[in-house]
């Protein structure tokens, strides 16, 4: 996708020159020698796994990334790159503002002549195979590096990257809490390259149940919870027909079992209509954003406003900041996706008034009409307060946490979330070490006996004593290590 005619995807010779010219203008990102990315810059990560899909991994994290922060995976479109998508899409702004890391998988002309993700190839886009497996390895690497919250991992993508996003949500609903498909295709719409064109241009005439079955059959036996999915589609897209937006809506509402009648509809900036489909608890599960008059591309809206982002360019179109509304739909603004439906404004003046080894105290300015306030730590509600102060407890020493606050009116409607603040508890933070079992022993963090490796202190069995098994060890006290593969 991402070309004036997708049929040109199959006419590779004619497009080779255009691809070369496009690639010549891209910013080159210097690879890192190790897996440690410098905060505040886009960096390449090498050695993130066996990489069966032959992809490259890039990542961005703001300075002072708090513990248990979310992780967003963002997939570029055809003829684009990780650096191109990072520069134009607007995700950096919200990563900095709301505190999360972003992973940018990148394919190349070695995989596909137009550098498209292979959303239409069942040997590459299914669970445990090819590009899908490589992206899962990137997620695991980033989670180990940043200590990301595994319950808040999200994926988004444009065009072919959008098609792969839908596939990943179907392949790994146990990994991704939500997704956003921008000008893309339903999950597993095509399983061969020859079928791709029909998906792009034509109504497939499938029922919602048939679409839903494509998701359910991608990971047989899985019964939920399912990812919360946003769909973005331009009404004048001639590369990916607008019917794909409707088909995606049908697919994911069927998976959720909530029907295809919108729970609410509203008009947004840029000629955008937002249709929300709530789950049985009243929380948004699927959102369809239809952008009137928009052709094929990612909706951006350059500017300094809170709801503006990105920059225009080839296939970056000035209508609305899709990344902002997607991030809010997922709850990355601190609301946890639970609120924002009320009319009360965001509380101002949120401040950290004190910290201990295990707690953080907050205060903020009152909001007229507020009956109470919800307090969110890293996007998850941790408590409520009738006044304008709150103390969070049970925290880890020497660790940074991000907080936001939202006012709640007398009917229970939650207003807009405040700007985040970061509180760092006192004391020393536990140190974590990720390495293979052989090196863990050599470094004095573990010992071997009878061909097996055991963590020093806790004595936990780490598996065979060799370089093929890798674990993360957390040093909770001097010389005492525990296995922390799920996050440090």
């Amino acid at each position: 996708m991402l070309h004036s005619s997708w049929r040109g995807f199959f006419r590779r010779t004619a497009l080779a020159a255009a691809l070369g010219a496009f690639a010549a203008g891209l910013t080159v990102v210097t690879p890192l020698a190790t897996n440690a990315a410098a905060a505040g810059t886009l960096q390449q990560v090498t050695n993130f796994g066996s990489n069966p899909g032959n992809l490259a991994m890039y990542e961005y994290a703001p300075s002072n990334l708090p513990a248990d922060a979310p992780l967003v995976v963002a997939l570029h479109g055809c003829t684009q790159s990780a650096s191109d998508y990072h520069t134009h899409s607007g995700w950096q702004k919200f990563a900095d503002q709301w505190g999360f890391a972003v992973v940018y998988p990148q394919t190349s002309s070695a995989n596909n002549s137009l550098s498209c993700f292979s959303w239409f190839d069942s040997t590459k886009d299914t669970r445990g195979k090819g590009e899908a497996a490589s992206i899962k390895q990137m997620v695991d690497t980033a989670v180990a590096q940043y200590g990301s919250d595994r319950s808040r991992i999200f994926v988004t993508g444009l065009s072919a990257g959008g098609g792969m996003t839908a596939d990943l949500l179907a392949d790994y609903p146990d990994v991704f809490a939500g997704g956003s498909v921008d000008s893309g295709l339903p999950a597993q719409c095509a399983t061969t390259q020859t079928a791709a064109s029909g998906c792009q241009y034509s109504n497939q005439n499938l029922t919602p149940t048939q679409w839903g079955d494509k998701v359910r059959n991608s990971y047989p036996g899985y019964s939920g919870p399912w990812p919360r999915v946003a769909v973005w589609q331009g009404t004048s897209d001639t590369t990916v027909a607008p019917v794909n937006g409707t088909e995606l809506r049908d697919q994911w509402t069927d998976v959720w079992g909530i029907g295809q009648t919108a729970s609410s509809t509203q008009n947004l900036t840029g000629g955008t209509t937002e249709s929300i489909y709530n789950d049985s608890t009243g929380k948004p599960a699927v959102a369809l954003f239809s952008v009137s008059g928009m052709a094929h591309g990612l909706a951006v809206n350059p500017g300094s406003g809170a709801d503006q982002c990105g920059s225009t360019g080839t296939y970056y179109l000035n209508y609305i900041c899709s990344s902002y509304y997607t991030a809010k739909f997922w709850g990355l603004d601190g609301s946890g996706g639970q609120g924002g439906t009320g009319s009360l404004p965001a509380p101002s003046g949120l401040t950290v008034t004190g910290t201990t080894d295990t707690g953080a105290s907050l205060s903020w300015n009152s909001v007229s009409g507020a009956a109470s306030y919800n307090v969110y730590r890293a996007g998850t509600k941790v408590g409520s307060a009738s006044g304008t102060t709150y103390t969070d407890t049970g925290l880890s020493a020497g660790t940074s946490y991000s907080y936001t606050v939202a006012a709640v009116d007398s009917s229970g409607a939650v207003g807009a979330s405040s700007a985040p603040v970061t509180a760092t508890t006192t004391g020393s933070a536990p140190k974590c070490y990720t390495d293979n079992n052989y090196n863990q022993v050599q470094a004095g963090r573990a010992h071997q006996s009878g061909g097996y490796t055991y963590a020093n202190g806790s004595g936990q069995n780490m598996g065979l004593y060799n370089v093929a098994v890798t674990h993360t060890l957390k040093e909770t006290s001097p010389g005492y290590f525990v296995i922390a593969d799920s996050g440090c």
Side-chain angles (χ1 to χ4, degrees), residues 13 24 95 129 137 155 184 199 207 215 260 288 375 393 410 415 443 462 472:
T13 302
K129 295 182 180 180
Q137 292 175 353
V155 59
C199 286
T207 66
V215 172
Q260 289 73 55
L288 174 59
V375 180
T393 58
S410 58
M462 299 166 59
T472 296

Side-chain angles (χ1 to χ4, degrees), residues 46-380:
T46 58
N47 301 321
F48 58 85
S50 59
N51 192 17
N54 190 35
L55 302 179
M57 175 183 176
Y58 292 81
E59 64 182 5
Y60 174 84
S63 301
N64 301 317
L65 184 70
D68 297 320
L71 177 69
V72 173
V73 179
L75 283 71
H76 64 79
C78 301
T79 75
Q80 295 180 329
S81 68
S83 60
D84 179 64
Y85 205 66
H86 177 69
T87 297
H88 290 287
S89 66
W91 280 108
Q92 177 180 347
K93 172 179 177 177
F94 303 112
D96 290 339
Q97 180 175 322
W98 291 327
F100 56 86
V102 186
V103 167
Y104 297 91
Q106 178 177 288
T107 186
S108 67
S109 57
N111 289 352
N112 177 277
S113 64
L114 295 180
S115 298
C116 305
F117 288 101
S118 301
W119 59 271
F120 46 79
D121 187 337
S122 60
T123 67
K124 299 178 181 180
D125 67 355
T126 51
R127 186 179 176 94
K129 295 182 180 180
E131 296 174 13
S134 290
I135 293 169
K136 172 60 165 57
Q137 292 175 353
M138 294 180 197
V139 168
D140 291 339
T141 297
V143 167
Q145 178 182 348
Y146 295 120
S148 307
D149 182 352
R150 279 198 175 272
S151 69
R152 293 187 299 149
I153 300 174
F154 305 91
V155 59
T156 182
L158 168 62
S159 194
M164 181 60 77
T165 292
D167 291 340
L168 288 167
L169 292 170
D171 296 340
Y172 297 103
D174 53 333
V175 173
F176 297 106
S180 178
V181 182
D182 295 79
S183 302
L185 296 303
Q188 304 302 335
C189 182
T191 57
T192 64
Q193 181 172 304
T194 55
S197 180
C199 286
Q200 289 178 248
Y201 294 117
S202 306
N203 188 333
Q204 299 300 289
N205 296 312
L206 299 180
T207 66
T209 299
Q210 289 172 316
W211 280 120
D213 285 344
K214 289 180 178 292
V215 172
R216 288 180 284 268
N217 292 337
S218 296
Y219 185 18
Y222 183 78
S223 59
W226 296 104
R228 299 182 183 274
V229 181
V231 179
W232 290 84
Q233 181 65 52
T235 65
S236 297
D237 192 335
T238 57
T239 301
V240 174
V243 70
N244 283 279
T246 303
E247 291 171 337
L248 277 158
R249 185 276 314 272
D250 289 353
Q251 182 171 63
W252 289 100
T253 52
D254 181 78
V255 168
W256 275 87
I258 56 179
Q260 289 73 55
T261 301
S263 304
S264 65
T265 302
Q266 66 172 322
N267 295 323
L268 304 176
T269 188
T272 305
T273 300
E274 175 199 65
S275 300
I276 297 292
Y277 303 81
N278 290 339
D279 65 13
S280 59
T281 69
K283 182 178 179 180
V286 178
L288 174 59
F289 298 87
S290 178
V291 187
S292 179
M294 191 177 82
H296 190 63
L298 182 73
V300 297
N301 186 207
S304 59
D307 61 350
Q308 292 182 292
C309 73
S311 57
T312 57
T314 306
Y315 306 112
Y316 300 99
L317 309 177
N318 189 0
Y319 283 86
I320 183 175
C321 173
S322 57
S323 298
Y324 170 80
Y325 287 95
T326 293
K328 284 181 67 67
F329 174 72
W330 291 337
L332 296 182
D333 62 335
S335 68
Q338 298 282 352
T341 58
S343 60
L344 293 180
S348 62
L350 179 60
T351 303
V352 179
T353 58
T355 57
T356 65
D357 281 6
T358 59
S361 297
L362 309 168
S363 70
W364 56 91
N365 298 327
S366 62
V367 173
S368 178
S372 63
Y373 299 88
N374 286 348
V375 180
Y376 302 92
R377 182 206 311 141
T380 300

